[in-house]
């Protein structure tokens, strides 16, 4: 395992060249292979850095018992297959967007409500509340998913092939969103058409005009080079993109008490690192977009108020399914 631990980072950085760059045969005999699949490519995205760091820590500190293999950039499973693969035991760890769990629970939609959170600090405070901690287990009995932690990716901003200074500027445009009922409703409130497209296909869709715009974090916009095929980014700060670090109840329950305790300790350390790093990286990647020639539009107070007022009915629409108390806890964090 020492060989794997020492070369893990190098292999991870070269991951885009391989369809599955670590194989079970590279783990020591007797070690249990734990597959971690994700859809993000490149080497500088905070999510990529953190997953590789987590895997290296597990492989070093649980040497001889668990061996984590990382499969990035949809090389093992893409957006549409990874949750099924987790429940089938074909993969043991994922970190998809929380929005992907809308088919299993309405509660996670609290993270999707537009203009609920003003910044990452507020969101991180919310994730530490008893209510948010309880949400990690909300799908355990019904679907078999166990949340391990919330990993922030950053606040979201709109890009488009024209400046979007007020919601009506998007009228008639096709905007890529994740598979989220709230996200779709938000785009329709702008007079635009929501288009659900896999993350790995977004750049091509923007480049060819299949869609006219999208919403994402500074890190995704920069590392995926969306700014190259868009007129500009508008600093709306309208939603959070958060990942749910998730496993299956079957996998977690299959670990011995000792291994489970140590594994969950490593999980907690990774979550703390994730939310510290993302704040630093997000600010850096905003500047990287500007240095690379991208354009960023800032909103006046009046323009921001128009965005907030346009999105306000969405809160009311989903209050019943999310829960008024949960929304109030999030808003007051």
């Amino acid at each position: 395992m020492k060989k794997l631990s020492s070369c893990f980072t190098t292999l991870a950085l070269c991951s885009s060249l391989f369809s599955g760059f670590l194989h079970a045969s590279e783990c020591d005999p007797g070690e249990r292979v734990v597959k971690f699949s994700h859809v993000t490519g490149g080497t500088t995205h905070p999510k990529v850095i953190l997953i590789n760091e987590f895997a290296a820590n597990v492989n070093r500190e649980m040497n001889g018992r668990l061996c984590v293999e990382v499969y990035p950039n949809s090389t093992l499973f893409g957006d549409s297959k990874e949750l099924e693969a987790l429940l089938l035991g074909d993969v043991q760890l994922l970190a998809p967007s929380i929005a992907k769990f809308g088919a299993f629970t309405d509660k996670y939609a609290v993270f999707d409500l537009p203009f609920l959170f003003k910044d990452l600090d507020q969101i991180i405070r919310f994730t530490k509340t008893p209510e948010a901690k309880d949400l990690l287990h909300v799908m355990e009995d019904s679907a078999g998913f166990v949340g391990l932690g919330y990993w922030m990716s950053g606040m979201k901003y709109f890009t488009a092939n024209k400046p979007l200074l007020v919601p009506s500027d998007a009228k008639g445009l096709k905007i890529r969103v994740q598979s989220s009922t709230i996200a779709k409703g938000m785009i329709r409130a702008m007079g635009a058409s929501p288009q659900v497209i896999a993350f790995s296909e977004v750049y091509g869709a923007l480049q060819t005009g299949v869609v006219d715009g999208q919403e994402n974090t500074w890190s995704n916009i920069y590392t995926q080079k969306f700014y190259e095929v868009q007129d500009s980014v508008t600093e709306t700060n309208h939603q959070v993109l958060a990942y749910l670090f998730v496993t299956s109840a079957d996998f977690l329950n299959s670990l011995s008490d000792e291994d489970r305790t140590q594994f969950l300790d490593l999980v907690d350390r990774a979550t703390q690192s994730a939310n510290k790093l993302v704040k630093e990286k997000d600010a850096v990647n905003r500047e990287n977009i500007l240095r690379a020639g991208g354009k960023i539009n800032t909103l006046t107070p009046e323009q921001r108020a128009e965005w907030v007022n346009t999105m306000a009915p969405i809160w009311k629409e989903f209050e019943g399914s999310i829960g008024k108390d949960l929304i109030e806890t999030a808003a007051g964090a």
Side-chain angles (χ1 to χ4, degrees):
M1 176 54 75
K2 290 182 177 61
K3 177 183 177 184
L4 177 60
S5 297
S6 63
C7 69
F8 191 90
T9 301
T10 301
L11 285 167
L13 297 182
C14 298
S15 61
S16 61
L17 301 178
F18 299 90
S19 61
F21 67 95
L22 287 176
H23 301 285
S25 60
E26 297 184 52
C27 297
D28 290 345
E31 288 185 314
R32 181 172 182 179
V33 176
V34 180
K35 295 181 180 180
F36 198 145
S37 175
H38 67 92
V39 302
T40 308
T43 61
T44 61
H45 193 286
K47 183 177 179 181
V48 174
I49 294 169
L50 289 158
I51 289 174
N52 293 341
E53 178 185 278
F54 169 75
N57 287 341
V58 172
N59 294 346
R60 180 179 64 254
E61 298 185 31
M62 301 190 74
N63 185 18
R65 290 172 287 154
L66 295 185
C67 174
V68 176
E69 299 177 350
V70 179
Y71 294 84
N73 204 25
S74 301
T75 51
L76 189 62
F77 296 104
D79 274 330
S80 61
K81 297 293 184 181
E82 60 181 9
L83 294 183
E84 179 184 1
L86 181 63
L87 293 182
L88 290 174
D90 295 329
V91 64
Q92 287 72 45
L93 296 172
L94 301 173
S97 167
I98 288 180
K100 293 188 67 174
F101 294 95
F104 305 98
T105 178
D106 294 325
K107 300 298 183 182
Y108 282 132
V110 69
F111 288 94
D112 264 358
L113 288 176
F115 298 99
L116 175 61
F117 301 104
K118 65 178 183 180
D119 54 31
L120 285 176
D121 287 334
Q122 181 185 351
I123 302 160
I124 292 170
R125 288 195 301 270
F126 170 61
T127 64
K128 295 178 180 179
T129 64
E131 292 85 350
K133 290 179 180 179
D134 287 345
L135 282 184
L136 292 172
H137 300 278
V138 73
M139 300 179 291
E140 187 169 351
D141 292 335
S142 60
F145 298 119
V146 179
L148 297 171
Y150 303 103
W151 288 11
M152 299 302 114
S153 180
M155 302 302 289
K156 287 184 184 179
Y157 314 95
F158 280 110
T159 73
N161 55 21
K162 59 180 288 190
L164 303 182
L165 299 179
V166 294
S168 59
D169 287 337
K171 186 175 182 180
L173 300 185
K174 294 173 290 184
I175 306 293
R176 182 267 175 181
V177 293
Q178 296 173 304
S179 182
S180 158
T181 304
I182 288 180
K184 293 173 187 176
M186 178 179 65
I187 300 303
R188 293 190 185 101
M190 296 161 60
S193 173
Q195 306 291 316
V196 177
I197 297 175
F199 183 70
S200 60
E201 300 171 9
V202 175
Y203 183 93
L206 294 170
Q207 186 179 42
T208 58
V210 172
V211 292
D212 304 302
Q214 59 89 50
E215 49 155 13
N216 242 304
T217 65
W218 294 128
S219 290
N220 280 347
I221 293 167
Y222 176 67
T223 61
Q224 302 300 311
K225 299 185 178 181
F226 295 154
Y227 63 89
E228 292 183 344
V229 287
Q230 296 278 264
D231 171 274
S232 58
V233 187
T234 301
E235 202 164 9
T236 45
N237 223 53
H238 59 279
Q239 281 178 314
V240 60
L241 176 57
Y243 304 120
L244 185 67
F245 188 13
V246 65
T247 188
S248 68
D250 286 345
F251 169 72
L252 203 57
N253 293 334
S254 72
L255 299 177
S256 68
D257 291 345
E258 179 184 357
D259 284 353
R260 188 185 308 114
T261 297
Q262 186 174 5
F263 178 76
L264 291 176
D265 179 64
L266 287 161
V267 164
D268 289 341
R269 284 161 49 189
T271 298
Q272 292 176 34
S273 294
N275 293 333
K276 179 180 179 182
L277 178 64
V278 72
K279 291 176 62 179
E280 300 168 359
K281 283 289 185 180
D282 223 30
V284 169
N285 284 327
R286 182 187 187 281
E287 295 307 309
N288 285 340
I289 291 169
L290 292 172
R291 279 197 292 268
K295 181 182 177 184
I296 296 175
N297 307 308
T298 57
L299 300 178
T300 66
E302 293 77 18
Q303 289 168 337
R304 179 166 296 280
E306 189 166 340
W307 280 96
V308 172
N309 291 336
T310 299
M311 302 304 169
I314 295 176
W315 282 37
K316 198 67 178 177
E317 181 181 350
F318 289 91
E319 186 178 274
S321 56
I322 296 172
K324 186 177 180 181
D325 290 347
L326 187 60
I327 294 173
E328 289 177 350
T329 297

